[in-house]
Amino acid sequence: RIARLHGRLVSFAGNERYTFEDASGSITVEIDNEAFPAGKSISAEQKVELTGEFDEGLRKPEFEVDRLTLIP
């Protein structure tokens, strides 16, 4: 099931995993390097839209990102 999240990437956890935060809290997201916009750096203040799917088969829920879009 596809979902969209709107918020910020607040930290890098290593191995393509990041901490995503929005008004409801935070979750670990997995983002392949290719999903990031080429030549753009993303600060913790930059708002993003993440499109992907929740993976609940792990120890704690994680969101696998298919597409990352910067929100102006």
Side-chain angles (χ1 to χ4, degrees), residues 15-72:
N15 196 27
E16 298 186 338
R17 286 179 167 73
Y18 298 81
T19 301
F20 173 85
E21 188 175 88
D22 65 10
S24 68
S26 63
I27 187 171
T28 299
V29 296
E30 182 179 341
I31 308 172
D32 291 336
N33 292 330
E34 298 82 32
F36 284 92
K40 303 246 183 189
S41 61
I42 298 177
S43 72
E45 290 79 35
Q46 172 70 56
K47 292 187 180 185
V48 296
E49 176 184 87
L50 305 179
T51 304
E53 298 181 49
F54 285 97
D55 182 357
E56 298 182 31
L58 304 169
R59 283 175 262 135
K60 56 184 189 176
E62 189 173 274
F63 190 75
E64 293 184 21
V65 176
D66 295 324
R67 189 175 72 202
L68 182 152
T69 305
L70 301 179
I71 299 173

